[in-house]
Amino acid sequence: MPLGRWRKATPLMEQDEAEAEARERCLEAERPRAGVGGSGPTLAPGPRALRPRLAFHTQLAHGSATGRVEGFTNVRELYNKLGLALGLEPAEIIFCTLNTHKVDMDKLLGGQIGLEDFIFAHVKGQKKEVEIVKSEDALGLTITDNGAGYAFIKRIKEGSLIDRIQAVKVGDLIETINGKNVIGSRHFEVAKLLKGLVKGQLFTLRLVEPLKAFDMISQRSKVGKSASSGQMGTGKGTLRLRAKGIATVEDEPSAFEEKAIEKVDDLLENYMGIRDTELATTMVDLGKDRRNPDEFAQALDEELGDFAFPDEFVFDVWGAIGDAKAGR
């Protein structure tokens, strides 16, 4: 169900001509014909109900020829299409940014793509292994994932333990933690593993940097507070990608929805050490029409039970949505 007063979403699917012709033949066979079971005239064929076929231009972030992707219905399919368009294995792509080749987490491809956005794919570069002593309770890392099996670093808190380790950078893919392979794990699972490390313990991270263009080599890519509006794109319409279900074309969210999504995303970072605009959008979607926190908690359990959100967090999210409605 789309947020707020968005129009009814239309699935983004690739039209297969063979299927369309077969469907047309079936419809033709069912139409009444003159002299066959009646005296009425033969009905003219109706127009085919073609679904929209959106196309997006794309390049490798470190430089390549421009390709084009279309016909994807979810994030994994998008990555497969990017691989075909750019001539590489989809598993090489760590994440994508919109309208910039830089490792800019405010421009990260999340739950929304503007219909005029240009997609830059950031692929695996240098591998590295870093040993760290957990000398403080918090590492200062915020984790997100690409929706296709990779968790990576979205933010490093200034002045934190990780901030003092120059080898660790925003955009790094996390491959292993103390030898445990986390490829295929969700971002909240990786964040939980990092939080569970014992203070004073020496641990090892195996990371993979995104390959950079020459003008990006010296950057460390520290980022400030990310805004959900930075991920909504430049087009008036947006393509909404979901972890479950197919992509849909929708109108841009209202000011209330944008504010609520940003507030919930901030809470996800504070409580769980992750940022995920698509998850925040889904939570706002589930909560905006609920009458009380209990109804909201039940909706979260039914839709997002894998996260096992604590009661305190659920109550704070409910309050954040209410504050956004009130313009606070």
Side-chain angles (χ1 to χ4, degrees), residues 25-56:
R25 286 196 297 271
C26 290
L27 291 174
E28 182 67 26
E30 294 173 358
R31 295 186 182 107
R33 297 181 181 274
V36 181
S39 57
T42 302
L43 298 179
R48 291 177 181 174
L50 294 179
R51 290 170 176 174
R53 184 168 178 158
L54 304 180
F56 298 86

PDB file of all heavy atoms in Angstrom, residues 25-56:
ATOM      1  N   ARG A  25      -4.310 -13.945 -28.713  1.00  0.00           N
ATOM      2  CA  ARG A  25      -4.971 -15.052 -29.421  1.00  0.00           C
ATOM      3  C   ARG A  25      -6.071 -15.664 -28.564  1.00  0.00           C
ATOM      4  O   ARG A  25      -7.134 -16.030 -29.064  1.00  0.00           O
ATOM      5  CB  ARG A  25      -3.929 -16.112 -29.794  1.00  0.00           C
ATOM      6  CG  ARG A  25      -3.013 -15.705 -30.945  1.00  0.00           C
ATOM      7  CD  ARG A  25      -2.288 -16.907 -31.512  1.00  0.00           C
ATOM      8  NE  ARG A  25      -1.412 -17.537 -30.536  1.00  0.00           N
ATOM      9  CZ  ARG A  25      -0.135 -17.177 -30.366  1.00  0.00           C
ATOM     10  NH1 ARG A  25       0.391 -16.220 -31.091  1.00  0.00           N
ATOM     11  NH2 ARG A  25       0.606 -17.792 -29.467  1.00  0.00           N
ATOM     12  N   CYS A  26      -5.801 -15.777 -27.242  1.00  0.00           N
ATOM     13  CA  CYS A  26      -6.819 -16.321 -26.335  1.00  0.00           C
ATOM     14  C   CYS A  26      -8.044 -15.421 -26.294  1.00  0.00           C
ATOM     15  O   CYS A  26      -9.187 -15.891 -26.322  1.00  0.00           O
ATOM     16  CB  CYS A  26      -6.238 -16.489 -24.935  1.00  0.00           C
ATOM     17  SG  CYS A  26      -5.012 -17.815 -24.824  1.00  0.00           S
ATOM     18  N   LEU A  27      -7.799 -14.103 -26.218  1.00  0.00           N
ATOM     19  CA  LEU A  27      -8.919 -13.157 -26.179  1.00  0.00           C
ATOM     20  C   LEU A  27      -9.704 -13.213 -27.479  1.00  0.00           C
ATOM     21  O   LEU A  27     -10.931 -13.144 -27.494  1.00  0.00           O
ATOM     22  CB  LEU A  27      -8.392 -11.733 -25.931  1.00  0.00           C
ATOM     23  CG  LEU A  27      -7.815 -11.466 -24.542  1.00  0.00           C
ATOM     24  CD1 LEU A  27      -7.192 -10.069 -24.506  1.00  0.00           C
ATOM     25  CD2 LEU A  27      -8.904 -11.580 -23.481  1.00  0.00           C
ATOM     26  N   GLU A  28      -8.983 -13.346 -28.590  1.00  0.00           N
ATOM     27  CA  GLU A  28      -9.637 -13.396 -29.890  1.00  0.00           C
ATOM     28  C   GLU A  28     -10.545 -14.625 -29.985  1.00  0.00           C
ATOM     29  O   GLU A  28     -11.655 -14.566 -30.529  1.00  0.00           O
ATOM     30  CB  GLU A  28      -8.579 -13.435 -31.000  1.00  0.00           C
ATOM     31  CG  GLU A  28      -9.128 -13.436 -32.415  1.00  0.00           C
ATOM     32  CD  GLU A  28      -9.813 -12.132 -32.777  1.00  0.00           C
ATOM     33  OE1 GLU A  28      -9.453 -11.096 -32.173  1.00  0.00           O
ATOM     34  OE2 GLU A  28     -10.694 -12.144 -33.642  1.00  0.00           O
ATOM     35  N   ALA A  29     -10.059 -15.754 -29.411  1.00  0.00           N
ATOM     36  CA  ALA A  29     -10.850 -16.989 -29.481  1.00  0.00           C
ATOM     37  C   ALA A  29     -12.128 -16.886 -28.672  1.00  0.00           C
ATOM     38  O   ALA A  29     -13.118 -17.559 -28.955  1.00  0.00           O
ATOM     39  CB  ALA A  29     -10.001 -18.161 -28.969  1.00  0.00           C
ATOM     40  N   GLU A  30     -12.126 -16.025 -27.624  1.00  0.00           N
ATOM     41  CA  GLU A  30     -13.294 -15.911 -26.755  1.00  0.00           C
ATOM     42  C   GLU A  30     -14.315 -14.906 -27.271  1.00  0.00           C
ATOM     43  O   GLU A  30     -15.434 -14.832 -26.782  1.00  0.00           O
ATOM     44  CB  GLU A  30     -12.851 -15.495 -25.348  1.00  0.00           C
ATOM     45  CG  GLU A  30     -12.016 -16.566 -24.658  1.00  0.00           C
ATOM     46  CD  GLU A  30     -11.453 -16.062 -23.342  1.00  0.00           C
ATOM     47  OE1 GLU A  30     -11.697 -14.866 -23.021  1.00  0.00           O
ATOM     48  OE2 GLU A  30     -10.788 -16.832 -22.647  1.00  0.00           O
ATOM     49  N   ARG A  31     -13.947 -14.098 -28.276  1.00  0.00           N
ATOM     50  CA  ARG A  31     -14.863 -13.067 -28.753  1.00  0.00           C
ATOM     51  C   ARG A  31     -15.971 -13.685 -29.602  1.00  0.00           C
ATOM     52  O   ARG A  31     -15.718 -14.582 -30.419  1.00  0.00           O
ATOM     53  CB  ARG A  31     -14.112 -12.016 -29.574  1.00  0.00           C
ATOM     54  CG  ARG A  31     -13.111 -11.216 -28.755  1.00  0.00           C
ATOM     55  CD  ARG A  31     -12.510 -10.097 -29.599  1.00  0.00           C
ATOM     56  NE  ARG A  31     -11.530  -9.367 -28.809  1.00  0.00           N
ATOM     57  CZ  ARG A  31     -10.221  -9.471 -28.992  1.00  0.00           C
ATOM     58  NH1 ARG A  31      -9.744 -10.243 -29.930  1.00  0.00           N
ATOM     59  NH2 ARG A  31      -9.398  -8.783 -28.236  1.00  0.00           N
ATOM     60  N   PRO A  32     -17.233 -13.204 -29.481  1.00  0.00           N
ATOM     61  CA  PRO A  32     -18.319 -13.704 -30.352  1.00  0.00           C
ATOM     62  C   PRO A  32     -18.029 -13.379 -31.813  1.00  0.00           C
ATOM     63  O   PRO A  32     -17.471 -12.336 -32.133  1.00  0.00           O
ATOM     64  CB  PRO A  32     -19.543 -12.937 -29.857  1.00  0.00           C
ATOM     65  CG  PRO A  32     -19.177 -12.431 -28.496  1.00  0.00           C
ATOM     66  CD  PRO A  32     -17.709 -12.220 -28.516  1.00  0.00           C
ATOM     67  N   ARG A  33     -18.398 -14.304 -32.710  1.00  0.00           N
ATOM     68  CA  ARG A  33     -18.178 -14.093 -34.136  1.00  0.00           C
ATOM     69  C   ARG A  33     -19.512 -14.213 -34.882  1.00  0.00           C
ATOM     70  O   ARG A  33     -20.393 -14.961 -34.480  1.00  0.00           O
ATOM     71  CB  ARG A  33     -17.195 -15.121 -34.692  1.00  0.00           C
ATOM     72  CG  ARG A  33     -15.811 -15.021 -34.083  1.00  0.00           C
ATOM     73  CD  ARG A  33     -14.869 -16.062 -34.687  1.00  0.00           C
ATOM     74  NE  ARG A  33     -13.560 -15.966 -34.077  1.00  0.00           N
ATOM     75  CZ  ARG A  33     -12.597 -15.144 -34.464  1.00  0.00           C
ATOM     76  NH1 ARG A  33     -12.819 -14.322 -35.477  1.00  0.00           N
ATOM     77  NH2 ARG A  33     -11.437 -15.118 -33.864  1.00  0.00           N
ATOM     78  N   ALA A  34     -19.655 -13.505 -35.970  1.00  0.00           N
ATOM     79  CA  ALA A  34     -20.883 -13.563 -36.787  1.00  0.00           C
ATOM     80  C   ALA A  34     -21.082 -14.971 -37.310  1.00  0.00           C
ATOM     81  O   ALA A  34     -20.146 -15.582 -37.833  1.00  0.00           O
ATOM     82  CB  ALA A  34     -20.788 -12.575 -37.957  1.00  0.00           C
ATOM     83  N   GLY A  35     -22.307 -15.492 -37.170  1.00  0.00           N
ATOM     84  CA  GLY A  35     -22.636 -16.805 -37.702  1.00  0.00           C
ATOM     85  C   GLY A  35     -22.183 -17.943 -36.822  1.00  0.00           C
ATOM     86  O   GLY A  35     -22.357 -19.096 -37.185  1.00  0.00           O
ATOM     87  N   VAL A  36     -21.548 -17.671 -35.668  1.00  0.00           N
ATOM     88  CA  VAL A  36     -21.115 -18.733 -34.769  1.00  0.00           C
ATOM     89  C   VAL A  36     -21.777 -18.500 -33.431  1.00  0.00           C
ATOM     90  O   VAL A  36     -21.341 -17.648 -32.652  1.00  0.00           O
ATOM     91  CB  VAL A  36     -19.570 -18.756 -34.609  1.00  0.00           C
ATOM     92  CG1 VAL A  36     -19.159 -19.886 -33.698  1.00  0.00           C
ATOM     93  CG2 VAL A  36     -18.906 -18.879 -35.970  1.00  0.00           C
ATOM     94  N   GLY A  37     -22.875 -19.214 -33.166  1.00  0.00           N
ATOM     95  CA  GLY A  37     -23.567 -19.083 -31.897  1.00  0.00           C
ATOM     96  C   GLY A  37     -24.296 -17.775 -31.767  1.00  0.00           C
ATOM     97  O   GLY A  37     -24.601 -17.326 -30.675  1.00  0.00           O
ATOM     98  N   GLY A  38     -24.587 -17.073 -32.867  1.00  0.00           N
ATOM     99  CA  GLY A  38     -25.282 -15.798 -32.790  1.00  0.00           C
ATOM    100  C   GLY A  38     -25.135 -15.046 -34.072  1.00  0.00           C
ATOM    101  O   GLY A  38     -24.350 -15.403 -34.946  1.00  0.00           O
ATOM    102  N   SER A  39     -25.871 -13.947 -34.195  1.00  0.00           N
ATOM    103  CA  SER A  39     -25.848 -13.206 -35.449  1.00  0.00           C
ATOM    104  C   SER A  39     -25.145 -11.866 -35.333  1.00  0.00           C
ATOM    105  O   SER A  39     -25.184 -11.076 -36.244  1.00  0.00           O
ATOM    106  CB  SER A  39     -27.296 -12.961 -35.912  1.00  0.00           C
ATOM    107  OG  SER A  39     -28.012 -12.265 -34.915  1.00  0.00           O
ATOM    108  N   GLY A  40     -24.509 -11.625 -34.171  1.00  0.00           N
ATOM    109  CA  GLY A  40     -23.852 -10.336 -33.977  1.00  0.00           C
ATOM    110  C   GLY A  40     -22.589 -10.211 -34.794  1.00  0.00           C
ATOM    111  O   GLY A  40     -22.020 -11.198 -35.262  1.00  0.00           O
ATOM    112  N   PRO A  41     -22.087  -8.974 -34.977  1.00  0.00           N
ATOM    113  CA  PRO A  41     -20.871  -8.755 -35.748  1.00  0.00           C
ATOM    114  C   PRO A  41     -19.631  -9.204 -34.975  1.00  0.00           C
ATOM    115  O   PRO A  41     -19.648  -9.301 -33.756  1.00  0.00           O
ATOM    116  CB  PRO A  41     -20.866  -7.232 -35.948  1.00  0.00           C
ATOM    117  CG  PRO A  41     -21.607  -6.705 -34.763  1.00  0.00           C
ATOM    118  CD  PRO A  41     -22.666  -7.720 -34.473  1.00  0.00           C
ATOM    119  N   THR A  42     -18.552  -9.457 -35.688  1.00  0.00           N
ATOM    120  CA  THR A  42     -17.278  -9.778 -35.050  1.00  0.00           C
ATOM    121  C   THR A  42     -16.752  -8.545 -34.320  1.00  0.00           C
ATOM    122  O   THR A  42     -16.725  -7.450 -34.876  1.00  0.00           O
ATOM    123  CB  THR A  42     -16.244 -10.221 -36.103  1.00  0.00           C
ATOM    124  OG1 THR A  42     -16.774 -11.356 -36.789  1.00  0.00           O
ATOM    125  CG2 THR A  42     -14.918 -10.577 -35.467  1.00  0.00           C
ATOM    126  N   LEU A  43     -16.294  -8.729 -33.044  1.00  0.00           N
ATOM    127  CA  LEU A  43     -15.775  -7.606 -32.257  1.00  0.00           C
ATOM    128  C   LEU A  43     -14.336  -7.309 -32.669  1.00  0.00           C
ATOM    129  O   LEU A  43     -13.535  -8.215 -32.879  1.00  0.00           O
ATOM    130  CB  LEU A  43     -15.831  -7.936 -30.764  1.00  0.00           C
ATOM    131  CG  LEU A  43     -17.231  -8.194 -30.183  1.00  0.00           C
ATOM    132  CD1 LEU A  43     -17.117  -8.520 -28.700  1.00  0.00           C
ATOM    133  CD2 LEU A  43     -18.116  -6.980 -30.382  1.00  0.00           C
ATOM    134  N   ALA A  44     -14.027  -6.032 -32.740  1.00  0.00           N
ATOM    135  CA  ALA A  44     -12.658  -5.634 -33.077  1.00  0.00           C
ATOM    136  C   ALA A  44     -11.743  -5.913 -31.895  1.00  0.00           C
ATOM    137  O   ALA A  44     -12.141  -5.777 -30.753  1.00  0.00           O
ATOM    138  CB  ALA A  44     -12.624  -4.137 -33.430  1.00  0.00           C
ATOM    139  N   PRO A  45     -10.493  -6.296 -32.152  1.00  0.00           N
ATOM    140  CA  PRO A  45      -9.553  -6.533 -31.052  1.00  0.00           C
ATOM    141  C   PRO A  45      -9.359  -5.276 -30.225  1.00  0.00           C
ATOM    142  O   PRO A  45      -9.264  -4.172 -30.758  1.00  0.00           O
ATOM    143  CB  PRO A  45      -8.242  -6.927 -31.772  1.00  0.00           C
ATOM    144  CG  PRO A  45      -8.662  -7.338 -33.144  1.00  0.00           C
ATOM    145  CD  PRO A  45      -9.881  -6.525 -33.464  1.00  0.00           C
ATOM    146  N   GLY A  46      -9.317  -5.451 -28.895  1.00  0.00           N
ATOM    147  CA  GLY A  46      -9.079  -4.319 -28.001  1.00  0.00           C
ATOM    148  C   GLY A  46      -7.606  -4.016 -27.896  1.00  0.00           C
ATOM    149  O   GLY A  46      -6.756  -4.828 -28.282  1.00  0.00           O
ATOM    150  N   PRO A  47      -7.220  -2.842 -27.372  1.00  0.00           N
ATOM    151  CA  PRO A  47      -5.801  -2.480 -27.232  1.00  0.00           C
ATOM    152  C   PRO A  47      -5.123  -3.336 -26.179  1.00  0.00           C
ATOM    153  O   PRO A  47      -5.724  -3.719 -25.190  1.00  0.00           O
ATOM    154  CB  PRO A  47      -5.856  -1.006 -26.790  1.00  0.00           C
ATOM    155  CG  PRO A  47      -7.191  -0.876 -26.127  1.00  0.00           C
ATOM    156  CD  PRO A  47      -8.114  -1.797 -26.859  1.00  0.00           C
ATOM    157  N   ARG A  48      -3.865  -3.651 -26.409  1.00  0.00           N
ATOM    158  CA  ARG A  48      -3.098  -4.395 -25.425  1.00  0.00           C
ATOM    159  C   ARG A  48      -2.802  -3.522 -24.210  1.00  0.00           C
ATOM    160  O   ARG A  48      -2.440  -2.356 -24.329  1.00  0.00           O
ATOM    161  CB  ARG A  48      -1.778  -4.861 -26.027  1.00  0.00           C
ATOM    162  CG  ARG A  48      -1.953  -5.935 -27.085  1.00  0.00           C
ATOM    163  CD  ARG A  48      -0.600  -6.281 -27.686  1.00  0.00           C
ATOM    164  NE  ARG A  48      -0.745  -7.290 -28.725  1.00  0.00           N
ATOM    165  CZ  ARG A  48       0.260  -7.689 -29.498  1.00  0.00           C
ATOM    166  NH1 ARG A  48       1.447  -7.145 -29.355  1.00  0.00           N
ATOM    167  NH2 ARG A  48       0.063  -8.618 -30.412  1.00  0.00           N
ATOM    168  N   ALA A  49      -2.926  -4.139 -23.042  1.00  0.00           N
ATOM    169  CA  ALA A  49      -2.663  -3.401 -21.794  1.00  0.00           C
ATOM    170  C   ALA A  49      -1.183  -3.491 -21.452  1.00  0.00           C
ATOM    171  O   ALA A  49      -0.761  -4.284 -20.626  1.00  0.00           O
ATOM    172  CB  ALA A  49      -3.515  -3.988 -20.662  1.00  0.00           C
ATOM    173  N   LEU A  50      -0.385  -2.704 -22.158  1.00  0.00           N
ATOM    174  CA  LEU A  50       1.051  -2.722 -21.927  1.00  0.00           C
ATOM    175  C   LEU A  50       1.386  -1.992 -20.629  1.00  0.00           C
ATOM    176  O   LEU A  50       0.858  -0.916 -20.348  1.00  0.00           O
ATOM    177  CB  LEU A  50       1.787  -2.044 -23.088  1.00  0.00           C
ATOM    178  CG  LEU A  50       1.689  -2.755 -24.436  1.00  0.00           C
ATOM    179  CD1 LEU A  50       2.448  -1.942 -25.475  1.00  0.00           C
ATOM    180  CD2 LEU A  50       2.230  -4.162 -24.364  1.00  0.00           C
ATOM    181  N   ARG A  51       2.269  -2.578 -19.846  1.00  0.00           N
ATOM    182  CA  ARG A  51       2.707  -1.934 -18.616  1.00  0.00           C
ATOM    183  C   ARG A  51       3.880  -1.009 -18.908  1.00  0.00           C
ATOM    184  O   ARG A  51       4.611  -1.208 -19.877  1.00  0.00           O
ATOM    185  CB  ARG A  51       3.110  -3.010 -17.599  1.00  0.00           C
ATOM    186  CG  ARG A  51       1.898  -3.779 -17.088  1.00  0.00           C
ATOM    187  CD  ARG A  51       2.333  -4.975 -16.283  1.00  0.00           C
ATOM    188  NE  ARG A  51       1.180  -5.651 -15.711  1.00  0.00           N
ATOM    189  CZ  ARG A  51       1.256  -6.790 -15.069  1.00  0.00           C
ATOM    190  NH1 ARG A  51       2.414  -7.384 -14.922  1.00  0.00           N
ATOM    191  NH2 ARG A  51       0.173  -7.345 -14.564  1.00  0.00           N
ATOM    192  N   PRO A  52       4.125  -0.001 -18.065  1.00  0.00           N
ATOM    193  CA  PRO A  52       5.214   0.943 -18.333  1.00  0.00           C
ATOM    194  C   PRO A  52       6.572   0.256 -18.319  1.00  0.00           C
ATOM    195  O   PRO A  52       6.812  -0.649 -17.531  1.00  0.00           O
ATOM    196  CB  PRO A  52       5.099   1.948 -17.175  1.00  0.00           C
ATOM    197  CG  PRO A  52       4.369   1.224 -16.109  1.00  0.00           C
ATOM    198  CD  PRO A  52       3.426   0.314 -16.807  1.00  0.00           C
ATOM    199  N   ARG A  53       7.431   0.704 -19.196  1.00  0.00           N
ATOM    200  CA  ARG A  53       8.770   0.125 -19.306  1.00  0.00           C
ATOM    201  C   ARG A  53       9.762   1.254 -19.128  1.00  0.00           C
ATOM    202  O   ARG A  53      10.158   1.903 -20.090  1.00  0.00           O
ATOM    203  CB  ARG A  53       8.921  -0.561 -20.657  1.00  0.00           C
ATOM    204  CG  ARG A  53      10.247  -1.274 -20.844  1.00  0.00           C
ATOM    205  CD  ARG A  53      10.187  -2.154 -22.065  1.00  0.00           C
ATOM    206  NE  ARG A  53      11.447  -2.814 -22.307  1.00  0.00           N
ATOM    207  CZ  ARG A  53      11.561  -3.935 -23.020  1.00  0.00           C
ATOM    208  NH1 ARG A  53      10.501  -4.488 -23.529  1.00  0.00           N
ATOM    209  NH2 ARG A  53      12.741  -4.477 -23.213  1.00  0.00           N
ATOM    210  N   LEU A  54      10.155   1.512 -17.887  1.00  0.00           N
ATOM    211  CA  LEU A  54      11.026   2.632 -17.580  1.00  0.00           C
ATOM    212  C   LEU A  54      12.469   2.259 -17.838  1.00  0.00           C
ATOM    213  O   LEU A  54      12.897   1.148 -17.552  1.00  0.00           O
ATOM    214  CB  LEU A  54      10.856   3.050 -16.122  1.00  0.00           C
ATOM    215  CG  LEU A  54       9.427   3.405 -15.701  1.00  0.00           C
ATOM    216  CD1 LEU A  54       9.403   3.801 -14.241  1.00  0.00           C
ATOM    217  CD2 LEU A  54       8.869   4.522 -16.559  1.00  0.00           C
ATOM    218  N   ALA A  55      13.234   3.200 -18.354  1.00  0.00           N
ATOM    219  CA  ALA A  55      14.650   2.984 -18.636  1.00  0.00           C
ATOM    220  C   ALA A  55      15.479   4.014 -17.875  1.00  0.00           C
ATOM    221  O   ALA A  55      15.104   5.182 -17.785  1.00  0.00           O
ATOM    222  CB  ALA A  55      14.914   3.093 -20.137  1.00  0.00           C
ATOM    223  N   PHE A  56      16.617   3.566 -17.315  1.00  0.00           N
ATOM    224  CA  PHE A  56      17.531   4.429 -16.580  1.00  0.00           C
ATOM    225  C   PHE A  56      18.930   4.284 -17.170  1.00  0.00           C
ATOM    226  O   PHE A  56      19.353   3.168 -17.501  1.00  0.00           O
ATOM    227  CB  PHE A  56      17.575   4.042 -15.101  1.00  0.00           C
ATOM    228  CG  PHE A  56      16.262   4.192 -14.391  1.00  0.00           C
ATOM    229  CD1 PHE A  56      15.330   3.166 -14.405  1.00  0.00           C
ATOM    230  CD2 PHE A  56      15.956   5.356 -13.702  1.00  0.00           C
ATOM    231  CE1 PHE A  56      14.109   3.287 -13.754  1.00  0.00           C
ATOM    232  CE2 PHE A  56      14.738   5.492 -13.054  1.00  0.00           C
ATOM    233  CZ  PHE A  56      13.824   4.462 -13.081  1.00  0.00           C
TER     234      PHE A  56
END
